[in-house]
Amino acid sequence: MPTVMALVAATAVALTGCTGRTAEADAQPSASGGRETADREEGPIRTALRGLVTDGEAPGAAVLVRDGGATRFATAGVADTRTGRRIQRDDHFRAGSVTKTVIAAVTLRLTGEGRLDLADTVEEHLPGLVRGHGNNGRKITLRQLLSHTSGLFDYTADPVLARQLSATEGTDGTDATGTDGGTHSPASLIRAAVAHPPSFAPGAKWQYSNTNYVLLGMIVEQVTGRSYAAEAERRVLAPLALRNTSFPGSRTTLPAPHGHAYDARGGDWRDVTDLDPSAAGAAGEMISTLDDLSRFLDALLRGEVVPKAQLRRMEDTSASGGRYGMGLFPMPLRCGTTVWGHNGEINGSYALAVSTRDGRHTLVYRLNSAGQPDPDAETALLTAEFCPQR
């Protein structure tokens, strides 16, 4: 499977006391008040979840599967290392770069309405912003932003910004050096990116860069007069009744209910639940739930979010050599099945939402720690669901 580097917006907070115990992945109460049933075919899924936890990837893991009319939910480990609370199906968490799929859908909706064109350049919409150090917004198109073929430097790799984002916060809201990390505007993130030369000429290669989607968020705002968050709500979230998905801006807390998010740097699980996600922006600030991400991906791949012509563009990986389309990427499995979706990583949280191409069979799982899981462990989870042994 391809490795797609997702956004890490690291804002550390207080240390936790210890690593939580590993719990069995059992059936959990459903949203309707009934109980999820665990049949024999769910055994490999639960085994894969337990592996992600016992291998030290995270204190807890949870997965939601929709296959036709059936829904299954399973967990392993804990949502709170102090109390032993389990992850619940309706828990909110930071979805990281799964945000990009929503931003891509909003952008392509605007192209379908004729308000944007994939051949538009960054300079046309944001004059003067992408210039200097060999960067030239006149030569970068929306198509290249969406497909990560712009060549723009990923602002999260800027050394100064990276130090700000990884600084340990003190109890007074300042970092360990006494400086205020503060809220990051999209323009400031782009300035950090264009202080570096591009990795290659626009369209010449493929390289994942969060800078691309921050620019797309700014372009959506420029052309509509509303923030990308407002446009996402109006065009995607509200029509699909995704009431548990939100764009927090600089709000540091998660909506209730939620568990905790952890970082393992230093050897112990450190609680990083509260953070200012403004440095993620349109590239990765979204908060959601397993149910909402599953329903969103189902609707998207069924053609209910963007017109079919725009959906085909989202699934077109020709510009990236098969690695990435526009807000979606394919994950081919050993059994011949290919699932489509996106992953997301932000401090204290990792998520993956994938589906068969027709949207009828989705799997969304999450870990309550940052850092991409072992590829073999993730493959085992997907293989258990999409490549059943006959």
Side-chain angles (χ1 to χ4, degrees):
M1 294 183 295
T3 297
V4 178
M5 294 303 294
L7 176 67
V8 182
T11 304
V13 290
L15 290 169
T16 56
C18 63
T19 301
R21 63 182 177 82
T22 298
E24 292 294 313
D26 295 325
Q28 296 292 314
S30 69
S32 61
R35 294 194 64 82
E36 303 289 336
T37 58
D39 58 23
R40 292 181 180 179
E41 288 186 294
E42 200 174 0
I45 289 284
R46 296 195 292 168
T47 299
L49 278 182
R50 282 195 296 268
L52 286 164
V53 172
T54 57
D55 288 349
E57 304 291 351
V63 64
L64 181 72
V65 174
R66 277 196 171 89
D67 187 4
T71 302
R72 288 170 285 137
F73 172 66
T75 69
V78 295
D80 187 329
T81 60
R82 183 178 61 85
T83 66
R85 175 189 183 274
R86 302 281 293 280
I87 296 176
Q88 302 298 316
R89 177 169 165 170
D90 57 351
D91 276 354
H92 294 80
F93 58 89
R94 302 185 192 278
S97 286
V98 182
T99 307
K100 291 181 174 69
T101 312
V102 175
I103 297 301
V106 171
T107 304
L108 288 164
R109 284 278 297 270
L110 291 169
T111 68
E113 296 168 11
R115 301 181 69 179
L116 288 173
D117 191 286
L118 292 179
D120 288 353
T121 66
V122 173
E123 182 71 13
E124 289 177 58
H125 295 285
L126 304 171
L129 183 62
V130 179
R131 290 184 186 174
H133 298 91
N135 298 285
N136 188 347
R138 295 183 179 90
K139 296 184 178 181
I140 298 171
T141 66
L142 270 63
R143 178 180 285 106
Q144 291 160 349
L145 296 180
L146 284 159
S147 61
H148 292 297
T149 56
S150 71
L152 288 167
F153 181 84
D154 189 337
Y155 70 88
T156 64
D158 175 75
V160 174
L161 184 58
R163 283 195 298 272
Q164 293 175 4
L165 298 180
S166 62
T168 300
E169 288 186 353
T171 56
D172 61 352
T174 61
D175 67 22
T177 64
T179 59
D180 184 1
T183 296
H184 296 267
S185 69
S188 73
L189 302 177
I190 300 306
R191 286 195 296 271
V194 300
H196 300 266
S199 301
F200 49 83
K205 297 179 183 179
W206 178 86
Q207 182 174 289
Y208 192 88
S209 174
N210 292 289
T211 305
N212 295 318
Y213 275 72
V214 172
L215 283 168
L216 287 169
M218 297 176 75
I219 290 168
V220 167
E221 182 169 355
Q222 185 274 332
V223 76
T224 65
R226 290 178 290 270
S227 70
Y228 61 82
E231 284 299 298
E233 171 67 28
R234 190 167 75 92
R235 294 171 178 274
V236 178
L237 306 184
L240 297 178
L242 302 180
R243 298 183 181 89
N244 291 306
T245 300
S246 62
F247 288 77
S250 59
R251 189 184 74 235
T252 59
T253 57
L254 288 170
H258 66 80
H260 289 250
Y262 296 94
D263 186 290
R265 285 177 296 178
D268 291 322
W269 292 119
R270 188 158 45 110
D271 193 316
V272 293
T273 307
D274 292 346
L275 62 86
D276 180 343
S278 61
E285 71 162 280
M286 190 170 72
I287 292 170
S288 194
T289 63
L290 294 173
D291 270 290
D292 270 17
L293 291 184
S294 176
R295 291 194 293 118
F296 165 65
L297 194 56
D298 179 315
L300 176 67
L301 293 175
R302 288 175 184 255
E304 298 172 8
V305 177
V306 299
K308 290 293 179 68
Q310 278 69 44
L311 178 59
R312 286 194 294 271
R313 291 190 175 96
M314 294 185 76
E315 297 171 334
D316 181 359
T317 62
S318 58
S320 64
R323 287 172 287 191
Y324 198 95
M326 294 182 177
L328 288 173
F329 63 85
M331 301 179 76
L333 304 177
R334 296 187 185 98
C335 61
T337 297
T338 296
V339 293
W340 289 78
H342 212 291
N343 63 354
E345 178 187 343
I346 192 167
N347 203 33
S349 181
Y350 175 85
L352 175 72
V354 294
S355 174
T356 52
R357 200 162 188 170
D358 61 6
R360 296 181 183 279
H361 189 176
T362 64
L363 179 150
V364 182
Y365 93 95
R366 56 164 296 219
L367 304 174
N368 56 1
S369 73
Q372 295 195 4
D374 182 278
D376 291 338
E378 187 166 90
T379 297
L381 180 65
L382 298 182
T383 299
E385 181 57 35
F386 294 104
C387 303
Q389 298 296 317
R390 299 300 183 188

